[in-house]
Amino acid sequence: MLTVRDDTLQILLVERGTPPWQGFQALPGGFLDDNREDLDAAAERELAEETGLDLGRTHLEQLRTYGSPNRDPRRRVVTVCYLAFVPDLPAPEAGGDARTAAWTPVESVLNAHTELAFDHGRIVADAVERARSKLEYTTLATRFCPSEFTVAELRKVYEIVWGQPLDQRNFHRKITGTEGMLIPTGEQTNRHGGRPAALYRCGPAAILYPAILRTTTQSSLNRICP
């Protein structure tokens, strides 16, 4: 689970309460209840059981499958990993076999000195890169926003997830010019000070075309925003 919180990209981690890797931080997860449980249902159940969070506005998708022979010392385990994009949520409540659950800055998790349980460090790196790339060509950045947001707040999501500044005017022109991405609410806010800004809701569009590219952000936006 990835979210934008306290102006940083953060990921949900739990502290394992049982062996193996007891006491280490790990991604929330678990085993299928039985051979009849649907994978999507199992992912939603495990998230709810181990975090106690309401996932009503969550975007959930399969990331990839991990099946190296020795990734779990108990037995051969094949993991289907799911990636969730969520708006800022309250602090999670640990449950199941998790001792604690907490939002953790991605930057500290990807630090070479941080060791997660199993192969979860690799999974986190894959998840972060998937999130960054999805923001280039989809409208999923809005899933990190509250139900109503300004263009500036949406731009800040991009800047936080990508770790690079964006040109304000070009971004505004690109985003508001993409059909179906934003729906004006007709309301304004000055919750961040300064002049009132228009409020929007996410629209029905799923694809951002042309895409916004991360590399050399200023020139990328200029190329797609003539």
Side-chain angles (χ1 to χ4, degrees):
M1 290 185 72
L2 292 172
T3 193
V4 171
R5 184 181 177 89
D6 298 330
D7 291 339
T8 60
L9 181 63
Q10 301 201 14
I11 192 164
L12 184 66
L13 295 179
V14 299
E15 180 185 345
R16 288 186 56 80
T18 59
W21 296 89
Q22 184 174 1
F24 279 76
Q25 288 186 306
L27 295 167
F31 294 95
L32 293 170
D33 266 349
D34 53 50
N35 60 12
R36 297 185 302 276
E37 187 175 26
D38 179 79
L39 286 176
D40 291 354
E44 294 173 359
R45 173 182 56 78
E46 281 292 336
L47 279 175
E49 288 179 357
E50 295 205 14
T51 67
L53 293 174
D54 178 10
L55 307 179
R57 293 192 61 237
T58 298
H59 167 78
L60 191 66
E61 65 176 60
Q62 283 193 21
L63 175 62
R64 60 169 292 181
T65 300
Y66 298 84
S68 298
N70 300 317
R71 58 187 304 272
D72 191 321
R74 292 167 291 190
R75 58 184 180 276
R76 181 69 187 271
V77 174
V78 175
T79 291
V80 180
C81 181
Y82 281 75
L83 174 61
F85 294 177
V86 299
D88 189 8
L89 294 173
E93 297 180 5
D97 60 1
R99 183 178 295 164
T100 62
W103 294 110
T104 306
V106 161
E107 184 176 355
S108 67
V109 177
L110 296 178
N111 187 296
H113 300 293
T114 300
E115 184 177 13
L116 301 184
F118 306 105
D119 55 355
H120 289 188
R122 175 191 175 191
I123 296 176
V124 170
D126 289 347
V128 171
E129 176 53 31
R130 170 72 67 85
R132 288 171 174 164
S133 65
K134 294 282 272 192
L135 263 60
E136 291 184 326
Y137 64 92
T138 76
T139 61
L140 286 174
T142 59
R143 296 303 182 101
F144 290 123
C145 295
S147 57
E148 296 184 355
F149 53 89
T150 67
V151 172
E153 289 169 341
L154 181 60
R155 187 184 75 251
K156 192 168 186 179
V157 166
Y158 277 88
E159 292 177 334
I160 289 170
V161 175
W162 286 349
Q164 13 176 240
L166 298 177
D167 181 88
Q168 178 178 344
R169 292 183 179 180
N170 285 338
F171 181 84
H172 189 282
R173 184 169 56 204
K174 165 62 183 173
I175 293 299
T176 57
T178 299
E179 185 177 356
M181 180 165 185
L182 301 179
I183 299 175
T185 66
E187 302 293 331
Q188 293 184 325
T189 181
N190 59 355
R191 57 192 173 209
H192 298 296
R195 297 173 58 185
L199 283 169
Y200 296 87
R201 291 190 296 269
C202 58
I207 301 300
L208 187 61
Y209 181 81
I212 298 179
L213 305 180
R214 284 173 282 170
T215 54
T216 317
T217 306
Q218 172 92 30
S219 59
S220 297
L221 278 169
N222 285 337
R223 286 201 305 271
I224 61 178
C225 299

mmCIF file with all atom_site columns, all heavy atoms in Angstrom, residues 160-183:
data_model
loop_
_atom_site.group_PDB
_atom_site.id
_atom_site.type_symbol
_atom_site.label_atom_id
_atom_site.label_alt_id
_atom_site.label_comp_id
_atom_site.label_asym_id
_atom_site.label_entity_id
_atom_site.label_seq_id
_atom_site.pdbx_PDB_ins_code
_atom_site.Cartn_x
_atom_site.Cartn_y
_atom_site.Cartn_z
_atom_site.occupancy
_atom_site.B_iso_or_equiv
_atom_site.pdbx_formal_charge
_atom_site.auth_seq_id
_atom_site.auth_comp_id
_atom_site.auth_asym_id
_atom_site.auth_atom_id
_atom_site.pdbx_PDB_model_num
ATOM 1   N N   . ILE A 1 160 ? 6.134   14.534 -5.451  1.00 0.00 ? 160 ILE A N   1
ATOM 2   C CA  . ILE A 1 160 ? 6.538   13.684 -4.328  1.00 0.00 ? 160 ILE A CA  1
ATOM 3   C C   . ILE A 1 160 ? 6.858   12.273 -4.801  1.00 0.00 ? 160 ILE A C   1
ATOM 4   O O   . ILE A 1 160 ? 7.880   11.689 -4.424  1.00 0.00 ? 160 ILE A O   1
ATOM 5   C CB  . ILE A 1 160 ? 5.436   13.670 -3.247  1.00 0.00 ? 160 ILE A CB  1
ATOM 6   C CG1 . ILE A 1 160 ? 5.382   15.028 -2.538  1.00 0.00 ? 160 ILE A CG1 1
ATOM 7   C CG2 . ILE A 1 160 ? 5.671   12.545 -2.242  1.00 0.00 ? 160 ILE A CG2 1
ATOM 8   C CD1 . ILE A 1 160 ? 4.176   15.196 -1.629  1.00 0.00 ? 160 ILE A CD1 1
ATOM 9   N N   . VAL A 1 161 ? 6.004   11.700 -5.631  1.00 0.00 ? 161 VAL A N   1
ATOM 10  C CA  . VAL A 1 161 ? 6.217   10.323 -6.084  1.00 0.00 ? 161 VAL A CA  1
ATOM 11  C C   . VAL A 1 161 ? 7.449   10.235 -6.975  1.00 0.00 ? 161 VAL A C   1
ATOM 12  O O   . VAL A 1 161 ? 8.234   9.282  -6.876  1.00 0.00 ? 161 VAL A O   1
ATOM 13  C CB  . VAL A 1 161 ? 4.975   9.796  -6.825  1.00 0.00 ? 161 VAL A CB  1
ATOM 14  C CG1 . VAL A 1 161 ? 5.242   8.410  -7.408  1.00 0.00 ? 161 VAL A CG1 1
ATOM 15  C CG2 . VAL A 1 161 ? 3.772   9.743  -5.875  1.00 0.00 ? 161 VAL A CG2 1
ATOM 16  N N   . TRP A 1 162 ? 7.633   11.219 -7.852  1.00 0.00 ? 162 TRP A N   1
ATOM 17  C CA  . TRP A 1 162 ? 8.779   11.202 -8.765  1.00 0.00 ? 162 TRP A CA  1
ATOM 18  C C   . TRP A 1 162 ? 10.052  11.779 -8.159  1.00 0.00 ? 162 TRP A C   1
ATOM 19  O O   . TRP A 1 162 ? 11.143  11.522 -8.641  1.00 0.00 ? 162 TRP A O   1
ATOM 20  C CB  . TRP A 1 162 ? 8.441   11.977 -10.033 1.00 0.00 ? 162 TRP A CB  1
ATOM 21  C CG  . TRP A 1 162 ? 7.509   11.252 -10.948 1.00 0.00 ? 162 TRP A CG  1
ATOM 22  C CD1 . TRP A 1 162 ? 7.119   9.947  -10.866 1.00 0.00 ? 162 TRP A CD1 1
ATOM 23  C CD2 . TRP A 1 162 ? 6.836   11.799 -12.093 1.00 0.00 ? 162 TRP A CD2 1
ATOM 24  N NE1 . TRP A 1 162 ? 6.248   9.644  -11.879 1.00 0.00 ? 162 TRP A NE1 1
ATOM 25  C CE2 . TRP A 1 162 ? 6.065   10.753 -12.652 1.00 0.00 ? 162 TRP A CE2 1
ATOM 26  C CE3 . TRP A 1 162 ? 6.818   13.049 -12.680 1.00 0.00 ? 162 TRP A CE3 1
ATOM 27  C CZ2 . TRP A 1 162 ? 5.268   10.932 -13.784 1.00 0.00 ? 162 TRP A CZ2 1
ATOM 28  C CZ3 . TRP A 1 162 ? 6.038   13.239 -13.810 1.00 0.00 ? 162 TRP A CZ3 1
ATOM 29  C CH2 . TRP A 1 162 ? 5.270   12.195 -14.359 1.00 0.00 ? 162 TRP A CH2 1
ATOM 30  N N   . GLY A 1 163 ? 9.908   12.599 -7.131  1.00 0.00 ? 163 GLY A N   1
ATOM 31  C CA  . GLY A 1 163 ? 11.075  13.233 -6.541  1.00 0.00 ? 163 GLY A CA  1
ATOM 32  C C   . GLY A 1 163 ? 11.688  14.297 -7.420  1.00 0.00 ? 163 GLY A C   1
ATOM 33  O O   . GLY A 1 163 ? 12.899  14.529 -7.363  1.00 0.00 ? 163 GLY A O   1
ATOM 34  N N   . GLN A 1 164 ? 10.870  14.963 -8.248  1.00 0.00 ? 164 GLN A N   1
ATOM 35  C CA  . GLN A 1 164 ? 11.365  16.046 -9.092  1.00 0.00 ? 164 GLN A CA  1
ATOM 36  C C   . GLN A 1 164 ? 10.316  17.133 -9.222  1.00 0.00 ? 164 GLN A C   1
ATOM 37  O O   . GLN A 1 164 ? 9.125   16.860 -9.172  1.00 0.00 ? 164 GLN A O   1
ATOM 38  C CB  . GLN A 1 164 ? 11.770  15.572 -10.492 1.00 0.00 ? 164 GLN A CB  1
ATOM 39  C CG  . GLN A 1 164 ? 11.342  14.222 -10.897 1.00 0.00 ? 164 GLN A CG  1
ATOM 40  C CD  . GLN A 1 164 ? 11.700  13.875 -12.344 1.00 0.00 ? 164 GLN A CD  1
ATOM 41  O OE1 . GLN A 1 164 ? 10.827  13.600 -13.131 1.00 0.00 ? 164 GLN A OE1 1
ATOM 42  N NE2 . GLN A 1 164 ? 12.951  13.844 -12.691 1.00 0.00 ? 164 GLN A NE2 1
ATOM 43  N N   . PRO A 1 165 ? 10.762  18.389 -9.364  1.00 0.00 ? 165 PRO A N   1
ATOM 44  C CA  . PRO A 1 165 ? 9.811   19.490 -9.520  1.00 0.00 ? 165 PRO A CA  1
ATOM 45  C C   . PRO A 1 165 ? 9.212   19.510 -10.921 1.00 0.00 ? 165 PRO A C   1
ATOM 46  O O   . PRO A 1 165 ? 9.835   19.050 -11.887 1.00 0.00 ? 165 PRO A O   1
ATOM 47  C CB  . PRO A 1 165 ? 10.670  20.730 -9.267  1.00 0.00 ? 165 PRO A CB  1
ATOM 48  C CG  . PRO A 1 165 ? 12.047  20.310 -9.687  1.00 0.00 ? 165 PRO A CG  1
ATOM 49  C CD  . PRO A 1 165 ? 12.162  18.850 -9.337  1.00 0.00 ? 165 PRO A CD  1
ATOM 50  N N   . LEU A 1 166 ? 8.003   20.046 -11.030 1.00 0.00 ? 166 LEU A N   1
ATOM 51  C CA  . LEU A 1 166 ? 7.315   20.175 -12.308 1.00 0.00 ? 166 LEU A CA  1
ATOM 52  C C   . LEU A 1 166 ? 7.002   21.639 -12.577 1.00 0.00 ? 166 LEU A C   1
ATOM 53  O O   . LEU A 1 166 ? 6.760   22.409 -11.644 1.00 0.00 ? 166 LEU A O   1
ATOM 54  C CB  . LEU A 1 166 ? 6.013   19.367 -12.311 1.00 0.00 ? 166 LEU A CB  1
ATOM 55  C CG  . LEU A 1 166 ? 6.128   17.860 -12.137 1.00 0.00 ? 166 LEU A CG  1
ATOM 56  C CD1 . LEU A 1 166 ? 4.731   17.241 -12.085 1.00 0.00 ? 166 LEU A CD1 1
ATOM 57  C CD2 . LEU A 1 166 ? 6.932   17.236 -13.252 1.00 0.00 ? 166 LEU A CD2 1
ATOM 58  N N   . ASP A 1 167 ? 7.003   21.998 -13.835 1.00 0.00 ? 167 ASP A N   1
ATOM 59  C CA  . ASP A 1 167 ? 6.637   23.354 -14.203 1.00 0.00 ? 167 ASP A CA  1
ATOM 60  C C   . ASP A 1 167 ? 5.148   23.564 -13.948 1.00 0.00 ? 167 ASP A C   1
ATOM 61  O O   . ASP A 1 167 ? 4.308   22.830 -14.467 1.00 0.00 ? 167 ASP A O   1
ATOM 62  C CB  . ASP A 1 167 ? 6.947   23.600 -15.681 1.00 0.00 ? 167 ASP A CB  1
ATOM 63  C CG  . ASP A 1 167 ? 6.596   25.020 -16.104 1.00 0.00 ? 167 ASP A CG  1
ATOM 64  O OD1 . ASP A 1 167 ? 7.446   25.904 -15.973 1.00 0.00 ? 167 ASP A OD1 1
ATOM 65  O OD2 . ASP A 1 167 ? 5.443   25.220 -16.552 1.00 0.00 ? 167 ASP A OD2 1
ATOM 66  N N   . GLN A 1 168 ? 4.819   24.579 -13.155 1.00 0.00 ? 168 GLN A N   1
ATOM 67  C CA  . GLN A 1 168 ? 3.441   24.793 -12.705 1.00 0.00 ? 168 GLN A CA  1
ATOM 68  C C   . GLN A 1 168 ? 2.488   25.049 -13.864 1.00 0.00 ? 168 GLN A C   1
ATOM 69  O O   . GLN A 1 168 ? 1.428   24.423 -13.959 1.00 0.00 ? 168 GLN A O   1
ATOM 70  C CB  . GLN A 1 168 ? 3.412   25.967 -11.722 1.00 0.00 ? 168 GLN A CB  1
ATOM 71  C CG  . GLN A 1 168 ? 2.026   26.309 -11.213 1.00 0.00 ? 168 GLN A CG  1
ATOM 72  C CD  . GLN A 1 168 ? 2.056   27.447 -10.209 1.00 0.00 ? 168 GLN A CD  1
ATOM 73  O OE1 . GLN A 1 168 ? 3.103   27.781 -9.670  1.00 0.00 ? 168 GLN A OE1 1
ATOM 74  N NE2 . GLN A 1 168 ? 0.906   28.049 -9.960  1.00 0.00 ? 168 GLN A NE2 1
ATOM 75  N N   . ARG A 1 169 ? 2.831   25.953 -14.761 1.00 0.00 ? 169 ARG A N   1
ATOM 76  C CA  . ARG A 1 169 ? 1.919   26.325 -15.837 1.00 0.00 ? 169 ARG A CA  1
ATOM 77  C C   . ARG A 1 169 ? 1.725   25.193 -16.832 1.00 0.00 ? 169 ARG A C   1
ATOM 78  O O   . ARG A 1 169 ? 0.600   24.902 -17.261 1.00 0.00 ? 169 ARG A O   1
ATOM 79  C CB  . ARG A 1 169 ? 2.437   27.565 -16.555 1.00 0.00 ? 169 ARG A CB  1
ATOM 80  C CG  . ARG A 1 169 ? 2.390   28.838 -15.704 1.00 0.00 ? 169 ARG A CG  1
ATOM 81  C CD  . ARG A 1 169 ? 2.848   30.042 -16.496 1.00 0.00 ? 169 ARG A CD  1
ATOM 82  N NE  . ARG A 1 169 ? 2.785   31.267 -15.701 1.00 0.00 ? 169 ARG A NE  1
ATOM 83  C CZ  . ARG A 1 169 ? 3.136   32.454 -16.147 1.00 0.00 ? 169 ARG A CZ  1
ATOM 84  N NH1 . ARG A 1 169 ? 3.595   32.587 -17.390 1.00 0.00 ? 169 ARG A NH1 1
ATOM 85  N NH2 . ARG A 1 169 ? 3.042   33.524 -15.367 1.00 0.00 ? 169 ARG A NH2 1
ATOM 86  N N   . ASN A 1 170 ? 2.809   24.549 -17.232 1.00 0.00 ? 170 ASN A N   1
ATOM 87  C CA  . ASN A 1 170 ? 2.694   23.454 -18.192 1.00 0.00 ? 170 ASN A CA  1
ATOM 88  C C   . ASN A 1 170 ? 1.891   22.295 -17.621 1.00 0.00 ? 170 ASN A C   1
ATOM 89  O O   . ASN A 1 170 ? 1.094   21.665 -18.318 1.00 0.00 ? 170 ASN A O   1
ATOM 90  C CB  . ASN A 1 170 ? 4.081   22.978 -18.625 1.00 0.00 ? 170 ASN A CB  1
ATOM 91  C CG  . ASN A 1 170 ? 4.751   23.944 -19.581 1.00 0.00 ? 170 ASN A CG  1
ATOM 92  O OD1 . ASN A 1 170 ? 4.085   24.743 -20.233 1.00 0.00 ? 170 ASN A OD1 1
ATOM 93  N ND2 . ASN A 1 170 ? 6.071   23.886 -19.652 1.00 0.00 ? 170 ASN A ND2 1
ATOM 94  N N   . PHE A 1 171 ? 2.117   22.007 -16.337 1.00 0.00 ? 171 PHE A N   1
ATOM 95  C CA  . PHE A 1 171 ? 1.367   20.919 -15.714 1.00 0.00 ? 171 PHE A CA  1
ATOM 96  C C   . PHE A 1 171 ? -0.123  21.250 -15.691 1.00 0.00 ? 171 PHE A C   1
ATOM 97  O O   . PHE A 1 171 ? -0.965  20.402 -16.022 1.00 0.00 ? 171 PHE A O   1
ATOM 98  C CB  . PHE A 1 171 ? 1.871   20.669 -14.294 1.00 0.00 ? 171 PHE A CB  1
ATOM 99  C CG  . PHE A 1 171 ? 1.153   19.545 -13.596 1.00 0.00 ? 171 PHE A CG  1
ATOM 100 C CD1 . PHE A 1 171 ? 1.546   18.232 -13.780 1.00 0.00 ? 171 PHE A CD1 1
ATOM 101 C CD2 . PHE A 1 171 ? 0.070   19.799 -12.752 1.00 0.00 ? 171 PHE A CD2 1
ATOM 102 C CE1 . PHE A 1 171 ? 0.884   17.190 -13.149 1.00 0.00 ? 171 PHE A CE1 1
ATOM 103 C CE2 . PHE A 1 171 ? -0.600  18.772 -12.124 1.00 0.00 ? 171 PHE A CE2 1
ATOM 104 C CZ  . PHE A 1 171 ? -0.190  17.463 -12.320 1.00 0.00 ? 171 PHE A CZ  1
ATOM 105 N N   . HIS A 1 172 ? -0.459  22.459 -15.300 1.00 0.00 ? 172 HIS A N   1
ATOM 106 C CA  . HIS A 1 172 ? -1.870  22.865 -15.231 1.00 0.00 ? 172 HIS A CA  1
ATOM 107 C C   . HIS A 1 172 ? -2.526  22.742 -16.602 1.00 0.00 ? 172 HIS A C   1
ATOM 108 O O   . HIS A 1 172 ? -3.647  22.224 -16.729 1.00 0.00 ? 172 HIS A O   1
ATOM 109 C CB  . HIS A 1 172 ? -1.961  24.298 -14.721 1.00 0.00 ? 172 HIS A CB  1
ATOM 110 C CG  . HIS A 1 172 ? -3.356  24.736 -14.401 1.00 0.00 ? 172 HIS A CG  1
ATOM 111 N ND1 . HIS A 1 172 ? -4.259  25.109 -15.381 1.00 0.00 ? 172 HIS A ND1 1
ATOM 112 C CD2 . HIS A 1 172 ? -4.020  24.854 -13.202 1.00 0.00 ? 172 HIS A CD2 1
ATOM 113 C CE1 . HIS A 1 172 ? -5.404  25.440 -14.817 1.00 0.00 ? 172 HIS A CE1 1
ATOM 114 N NE2 . HIS A 1 172 ? -5.284  25.300 -13.489 1.00 0.00 ? 172 HIS A NE2 1
ATOM 115 N N   . ARG A 1 173 ? -1.821  23.183 -17.641 1.00 0.00 ? 173 ARG A N   1
ATOM 116 C CA  . ARG A 1 173 ? -2.379  23.126 -18.985 1.00 0.00 ? 173 ARG A CA  1
ATOM 117 C C   . ARG A 1 173 ? -2.577  21.683 -19.441 1.00 0.00 ? 173 ARG A C   1
ATOM 118 O O   . ARG A 1 173 ? -3.591  21.345 -20.046 1.00 0.00 ? 173 ARG A O   1
ATOM 119 C CB  . ARG A 1 173 ? -1.458  23.883 -19.940 1.00 0.00 ? 173 ARG A CB  1
ATOM 120 C CG  . ARG A 1 173 ? -1.985  23.968 -21.378 1.00 0.00 ? 173 ARG A CG  1
ATOM 121 C CD  . ARG A 1 173 ? -1.164  24.955 -22.166 1.00 0.00 ? 173 ARG A CD  1
ATOM 122 N NE  . ARG A 1 173 ? 0.254   24.607 -22.144 1.00 0.00 ? 173 ARG A NE  1
ATOM 123 C CZ  . ARG A 1 173 ? 1.238   25.492 -22.342 1.00 0.00 ? 173 ARG A CZ  1
ATOM 124 N NH1 . ARG A 1 173 ? 0.947   26.762 -22.520 1.00 0.00 ? 173 ARG A NH1 1
ATOM 125 N NH2 . ARG A 1 173 ? 2.485   25.091 -22.347 1.00 0.00 ? 173 ARG A NH2 1
ATOM 126 N N   . LYS A 1 174 ? -1.609  20.845 -19.157 1.00 0.00 ? 174 LYS A N   1
ATOM 127 C CA  . LYS A 1 174 ? -1.685  19.443 -19.559 1.00 0.00 ? 174 LYS A CA  1
ATOM 128 C C   . LYS A 1 174 ? -2.831  18.724 -18.847 1.00 0.00 ? 174 LYS A C   1
ATOM 129 O O   . LYS A 1 174 ? -3.651  18.037 -19.477 1.00 0.00 ? 174 LYS A O   1
ATOM 130 C CB  . LYS A 1 174 ? -0.355  18.745 -19.256 1.00 0.00 ? 174 LYS A CB  1
ATOM 131 C CG  . LYS A 1 174 ? -0.414  17.231 -19.285 1.00 0.00 ? 174 LYS A CG  1
ATOM 132 C CD  . LYS A 1 174 ? -0.797  16.698 -20.647 1.00 0.00 ? 174 LYS A CD  1
ATOM 133 C CE  . LYS A 1 174 ? -0.914  15.186 -20.607 1.00 0.00 ? 174 LYS A CE  1
ATOM 134 N NZ  . LYS A 1 174 ? -1.441  14.651 -21.874 1.00 0.00 ? 174 LYS A NZ  1
ATOM 135 N N   . ILE A 1 175 ? -2.914  18.878 -17.541 1.00 0.00 ? 175 ILE A N   1
ATOM 136 C CA  . ILE A 1 175 ? -3.890  18.131 -16.757 1.00 0.00 ? 175 ILE A CA  1
ATOM 137 C C   . ILE A 1 175 ? -5.315  18.608 -17.038 1.00 0.00 ? 175 ILE A C   1
ATOM 138 O O   . ILE A 1 175 ? -6.222  17.802 -17.239 1.00 0.00 ? 175 ILE A O   1
ATOM 139 C CB  . ILE A 1 175 ? -3.561  18.251 -15.248 1.00 0.00 ? 175 ILE A CB  1
ATOM 140 C CG1 . ILE A 1 175 ? -2.246  17.523 -14.935 1.00 0.00 ? 175 ILE A CG1 1
ATOM 141 C CG2 . ILE A 1 175 ? -4.690  17.694 -14.396 1.00 0.00 ? 175 ILE A CG2 1
ATOM 142 C CD1 . ILE A 1 175 ? -2.263  16.035 -15.243 1.00 0.00 ? 175 ILE A CD1 1
ATOM 143 N N   . THR A 1 176 ? -5.515  19.913 -17.071 1.00 0.00 ? 176 THR A N   1
ATOM 144 C CA  . THR A 1 176 ? -6.869  20.414 -17.312 1.00 0.00 ? 176 THR A CA  1
ATOM 145 C C   . THR A 1 176 ? -7.276  20.229 -18.767 1.00 0.00 ? 176 THR A C   1
ATOM 146 O O   . THR A 1 176 ? -8.469  20.256 -19.086 1.00 0.00 ? 176 THR A O   1
ATOM 147 C CB  . THR A 1 176 ? -6.975  21.899 -16.931 1.00 0.00 ? 176 THR A CB  1
ATOM 148 O OG1 . THR A 1 176 ? -6.004  22.655 -17.675 1.00 0.00 ? 176 THR A OG1 1
ATOM 149 C CG2 . THR A 1 176 ? -6.755  22.086 -15.439 1.00 0.00 ? 176 THR A CG2 1
ATOM 150 N N   . GLY A 1 177 ? -6.299  20.027 -19.656 1.00 0.00 ? 177 GLY A N   1
ATOM 151 C CA  . GLY A 1 177 ? -6.620  19.811 -21.059 1.00 0.00 ? 177 GLY A CA  1
ATOM 152 C C   . GLY A 1 177 ? -6.836  18.364 -21.440 1.00 0.00 ? 177 GLY A C   1
ATOM 153 O O   . GLY A 1 177 ? -7.194  18.070 -22.584 1.00 0.00 ? 177 GLY A O   1
ATOM 154 N N   . THR A 1 178 ? -6.635  17.432 -20.510 1.00 0.00 ? 178 THR A N   1
ATOM 155 C CA  . THR A 1 178 ? -6.848  16.009 -20.775 1.00 0.00 ? 178 THR A CA  1
ATOM 156 C C   . THR A 1 178 ? -8.318  15.678 -20.529 1.00 0.00 ? 178 THR A C   1
ATOM 157 O O   . THR A 1 178 ? -8.803  15.744 -19.398 1.00 0.00 ? 178 THR A O   1
ATOM 158 C CB  . THR A 1 178 ? -5.960  15.145 -19.866 1.00 0.00 ? 178 THR A CB  1
ATOM 159 O OG1 . THR A 1 178 ? -4.584  15.441 -20.120 1.00 0.00 ? 178 THR A OG1 1
ATOM 160 C CG2 . THR A 1 178 ? -6.210  13.661 -20.127 1.00 0.00 ? 178 THR A CG2 1
ATOM 161 N N   . GLU A 1 179 ? -9.020  15.328 -21.590 1.00 0.00 ? 179 GLU A N   1
ATOM 162 C CA  . GLU A 1 179 ? -10.461 15.100 -21.500 1.00 0.00 ? 179 GLU A CA  1
ATOM 163 C C   . GLU A 1 179 ? -10.776 13.968 -20.535 1.00 0.00 ? 179 GLU A C   1
ATOM 164 O O   . GLU A 1 179 ? -10.206 12.882 -20.622 1.00 0.00 ? 179 GLU A O   1
ATOM 165 C CB  . GLU A 1 179 ? -11.026 14.767 -22.881 1.00 0.00 ? 179 GLU A CB  1
ATOM 166 C CG  . GLU A 1 179 ? -12.539 14.625 -22.904 1.00 0.00 ? 179 GLU A CG  1
ATOM 167 C CD  . GLU A 1 179 ? -13.084 14.376 -24.296 1.00 0.00 ? 179 GLU A CD  1
ATOM 168 O OE1 . GLU A 1 179 ? -12.273 14.386 -25.257 1.00 0.00 ? 179 GLU A OE1 1
ATOM 169 O OE2 . GLU A 1 179 ? -14.299 14.180 -24.428 1.00 0.00 ? 179 GLU A OE2 1
ATOM 170 N N   . GLY A 1 180 ? -11.692 14.246 -19.619 1.00 0.00 ? 180 GLY A N   1
ATOM 171 C CA  . GLY A 1 180 ? -12.168 13.226 -18.692 1.00 0.00 ? 180 GLY A CA  1
ATOM 172 C C   . GLY A 1 180 ? -11.310 12.982 -17.484 1.00 0.00 ? 180 GLY A C   1
ATOM 173 O O   . GLY A 1 180 ? -11.633 12.133 -16.657 1.00 0.00 ? 180 GLY A O   1
ATOM 174 N N   . MET A 1 181 ? -10.195 13.719 -17.335 1.00 0.00 ? 181 MET A N   1
ATOM 175 C CA  . MET A 1 181 ? -9.341  13.472 -16.168 1.00 0.00 ? 181 MET A CA  1
ATOM 176 C C   . MET A 1 181 ? -9.890  14.149 -14.926 1.00 0.00 ? 181 MET A C   1
ATOM 177 O O   . MET A 1 181 ? -9.889  13.560 -13.846 1.00 0.00 ? 181 MET A O   1
ATOM 178 C CB  . MET A 1 181 ? -7.917  13.941 -16.415 1.00 0.00 ? 181 MET A CB  1
ATOM 179 C CG  . MET A 1 181 ? -7.004  13.692 -15.213 1.00 0.00 ? 181 MET A CG  1
ATOM 180 S SD  . MET A 1 181 ? -5.271  13.815 -15.577 1.00 0.00 ? 181 MET A SD  1
ATOM 181 C CE  . MET A 1 181 ? -4.579  13.323 -13.967 1.00 0.00 ? 181 MET A CE  1
ATOM 182 N N   . LEU A 1 182 ? -10.345 15.402 -15.054 1.00 0.00 ? 182 LEU A N   1
ATOM 183 C CA  . LEU A 1 182 ? -10.832 16.153 -13.910 1.00 0.00 ? 182 LEU A CA  1
ATOM 184 C C   . LEU A 1 182 ? -12.264 16.622 -14.147 1.00 0.00 ? 182 LEU A C   1
ATOM 185 O O   . LEU A 1 182 ? -12.638 16.960 -15.271 1.00 0.00 ? 182 LEU A O   1
ATOM 186 C CB  . LEU A 1 182 ? -9.942  17.369 -13.646 1.00 0.00 ? 182 LEU A CB  1
ATOM 187 C CG  . LEU A 1 182 ? -8.466  17.112 -13.363 1.00 0.00 ? 182 LEU A CG  1
ATOM 188 C CD1 . LEU A 1 182 ? -7.740  18.434 -13.145 1.00 0.00 ? 182 LEU A CD1 1
ATOM 189 C CD2 . LEU A 1 182 ? -8.289  16.196 -12.163 1.00 0.00 ? 182 LEU A CD2 1
ATOM 190 N N   . ILE A 1 183 ? -13.042 16.653 -13.081 1.00 0.00 ? 183 ILE A N   1
ATOM 191 C CA  . ILE A 1 183 ? -14.406 17.179 -13.125 1.00 0.00 ? 183 ILE A CA  1
ATOM 192 C C   . ILE A 1 183 ? -14.471 18.368 -12.176 1.00 0.00 ? 183 ILE A C   1
ATOM 193 O O   . ILE A 1 183 ? -14.275 18.207 -10.959 1.00 0.00 ? 183 ILE A O   1
ATOM 194 C CB  . ILE A 1 183 ? -15.428 16.115 -12.699 1.00 0.00 ? 183 ILE A CB  1
ATOM 195 C CG1 . ILE A 1 183 ? -15.374 14.915 -13.640 1.00 0.00 ? 183 ILE A CG1 1
ATOM 196 C CG2 . ILE A 1 183 ? -16.834 16.709 -12.658 1.00 0.00 ? 183 ILE A CG2 1
ATOM 197 C CD1 . ILE A 1 183 ? -16.271 13.766 -13.201 1.00 0.00 ? 183 ILE A CD1 1
#
